Amino acid sequence: MRDLMPRLLEWQAAGARYAIASVVAVRGSAPLRPGAALCVRADGTALGSVSGGCVDGAVHDLALQVLESGQPRFVSFGHSDDAFAIGLTCGGEIDVFVQAVDDDTARALAAGHLAAAAGRPVVVCRVLAGPGGQAGGAVAVWKEGHLGSTGRPELDLQVLADARRMLGQDESDVKVYGTGTPDETRVLFEPWSPPPRLLVFGANAHAAAVSRIGAFLGYHVTVCDARPAFTTPERFPYAHDVVVEWPHRYLAATDTDRTTVVCVMTHDPKFDVPVLAEALGRPLAYVGALGSRRTQARRIHDLAEAGVSPDAMAGLHAPVGLDLGAATPQETAVSFAAELIAVRSGRGGRSLSPLDGPLHPAAHPDRCATR
């Protein structure tokens, strides 16, 4: 949903009516996680996906029906081996909730988008089913405030508390309140966190390729180098920020967390040793550095001289990337991205075809592999 919001805001500004179809539950293997969304405008224009294609056509038609009737719908899709039947080919099952977006929901979605765009974690909550089976009511929640309501003040208090506990998380969830009572209510919680950061140090062709693939993977990309002639937005059109500064000084003054990725592309000791010494002293998701094995041997010696411990250096991925036979900057960027995904998911980065067992990372046991 968060990725779709810029276009949805355009629809809202134009006064267009639209429906949202959201995956609210997954059983077994399925192409996309809970929270995946397909948005359909009254003229049939569609954004997003709930299934990677398997059942999107059926959900698109259902969304148009919901727009016409005004009544939300729940529908489940399961496995089908029939190429002409409506169903998932991955063997799993998904539950999809479809609702026409009213003004209150649109305002809550817009508030959530603005909060996330400002770098604040936010959780958007939508009532799937309340007393009498009625859906409706939405609230965007961030640390300092919220906008919207579930329609029941006593429920708002519980939803706000639960939403704030989910700030910064990654997984959507459905919570049930008043189970077994006439007031039983199901609420979908969708955390929208700021994108993780990719800090690319160096202003060369390899850095340009890495910045491009990093943006494609959904990172907020910063390219930093001390040489102003080479460190320009024109040379790095896919970077969100282009900074002229000595890399170690920039990193020392920059907030990072366990989702931040550092990729050092300079392979010049006067640049990469100080910035790697700074990076390896921080809890980061990944630290990689370009260079030959000879460069890496010298780098390890220089880092030790700079006081970096062997344990800290064990977290350095250098030479950067998986063994794909990469030769060009673009191929090196693919190699880096492959290693980053493997590290993030705890996988070995081997070819899938000779292996047995689940294709997807254990952290997401209900996801179908996307290669």
Side-chain angles (χ1 to χ4, degrees):
M1 273 298 301
R2 183 189 168 196
D3 294 339
L4 304 180
M5 279 307 304
R7 288 292 305 279
L8 295 184
L9 290 177
E10 294 176 6
W11 288 4
Q12 292 171 196
R17 296 176 58 245
Y18 67 96
I20 298 175
S22 297
V23 177
V24 298
V26 171
R27 291 174 292 280
S29 291
L32 299 172
R33 300 183 332 201
L38 173 67
C39 299
V40 181
R41 202 165 61 185
D43 65 1
T45 303
L47 298 173
S49 174
V50 295
S51 69
C54 308
V55 300
D56 284 348
V59 174
H60 176 274
D61 293 343
L62 182 61
L64 291 176
Q65 295 172 25
V66 167
L67 280 171
E68 184 174 348
S69 69
Q71 297 301 311
R73 292 279 302 276
F74 274 102
V75 63
S76 295
F77 295 94
H79 172 65
S80 175
D81 288 320
D82 184 347
F84 297 98
I86 298 172
L88 301 179
T89 59
C90 292
E93 186 176 2
I94 62 173
D95 294 338
V96 178
F97 173 69
V98 188
Q99 70 172 139
V101 175
D102 59 19
D103 290 342
D104 290 341
T105 300
R107 280 191 289 268
L109 292 171
H113 172 72
L114 292 174
R120 293 179 293 185
V122 62
V123 178
V124 175
C125 315
R126 287 187 282 145
V127 176
L128 306 181
Q134 292 298 310
V139 55
V141 184
W142 52 95
K143 184 177 179 180
E144 305 86 0
H146 71 278
L147 186 144
S149 172
T150 64
R152 290 157 51 201
E154 71 282 3
L155 180 60
D156 282 348
L157 294 176
Q158 300 176 68
V159 168
L160 292 176
D162 286 339
R164 289 198 169 99
R165 281 191 285 269
M166 294 180 66
L167 290 172
Q169 295 184 19
D170 186 43
E171 299 292 332
S172 295
D173 192 17
V174 173
K175 297 184 183 295
V176 181
Y177 299 89
T179 304
T181 72
D183 290 332
E184 180 172 302
T185 304
R186 299 176 65 201
V187 180
L188 172 64
F189 291 76
E190 298 179 271
W192 297 353
S193 297
R197 298 195 65 187
L198 168 60
L199 307 180
V200 183
F201 295 105
N204 52 35
H206 287 86
V210 165
S211 68
R212 181 175 186 175
I213 205 165
F216 177 73
L217 291 176
Y219 285 86
H220 183 100
V221 179
T222 298
V223 174
C224 174
D225 193 289
R227 301 168 297 169
F230 297 98
T231 314
T232 64
E234 291 76 16
R235 299 189 72 225
F236 300 96
Y238 295 96
H240 300 88
D241 305 302
V242 178
V243 179
V244 179
E245 178 59 279
W246 278 82
H248 69 286
R249 291 176 184 166
Y250 175 79
L251 184 55
T254 298
D255 291 333
T256 60
D257 58 30
R258 293 185 181 276
T259 69
T260 304
V261 173
V262 167
C263 193
V264 178
M265 297 279 101
T266 55
H267 59 91
D268 182 336
K270 69 176 178 291
F271 288 110
D272 60 14
V273 170
V275 73
L276 285 171
E278 175 68 30
L280 293 171
R282 295 174 173 230
L284 301 172
Y286 174 99
V287 180
L290 184 70
S292 66
R293 297 203 180 276
R294 172 187 245 177
T295 296
Q296 175 61 6
R298 183 180 69 246
R299 181 186 290 141
I300 291 295
H301 174 269
D302 292 344
L303 287 170
E305 290 288 311
V308 179
S309 71
D311 287 346
M313 278 190 278
L316 174 60
H317 298 272
V320 70
L322 296 184
D323 182 13
L324 306 181
T328 66
Q330 293 76 16
E331 291 173 348
T332 300
V334 171
S335 174
F336 152 74
E339 183 177 53
L340 174 58
I341 294 168
V343 168
R344 192 174 60 194
S345 62
R347 291 303 188 96
R350 295 175 292 168
S351 179
L352 287 170
S353 57
L355 301 179
D356 294 322
L359 297 179
H360 40 70
H364 303 299
D366 294 327
R367 288 180 66 182
C368 186
T370 55
R371 307 187 194 182

